[in-house]
Amino acid sequence: MRGFFGIIAVIQGLGGFVGRVWFDTEWGFVGRLVELPLAAYPGLAAAGLALLVWADHDRKNRES
């Protein structure tokens, strides 16, 4: 489940950042819910990556 939320967070973070920087529009669902500063979108993507790494680490620990 963490991996799923991690993927969603990465997509929302990168999409929101790209949309605001290059196209001057809000992309993704997060921009519709809350007003985030531009610097928060890469942070959201980094949090998603951290969730993905955590989920992968747990999966590897269960396999061994």
Side-chain angles (χ1 to χ4, degrees):
M1 195 67 168
R2 278 187 298 252
F4 174 74
F5 287 126
I7 290 170
I8 297 299
V10 169
I11 291 169
Q12 291 295 311
L14 292 178
F17 183 77
V18 168
R20 294 260 313 261
V21 170
W22 284 290
F23 299 102
D24 204 28
T25 61
E26 292 287 333
W27 285 3
F29 187 67
V30 174
R32 295 174 190 249
L33 294 177
V34 294
E35 185 73 29
L36 290 176
L38 183 62
Y41 287 107
L44 180 63
L49 284 174
L51 282 173
L52 287 172
V53 168
W54 186 14
D56 188 55
H57 177 70
D58 281 351
R59 182 184 56 82
K60 286 181 181 178
N61 280 344
R62 274 185 267 136
E63 288 177 358
S64 60

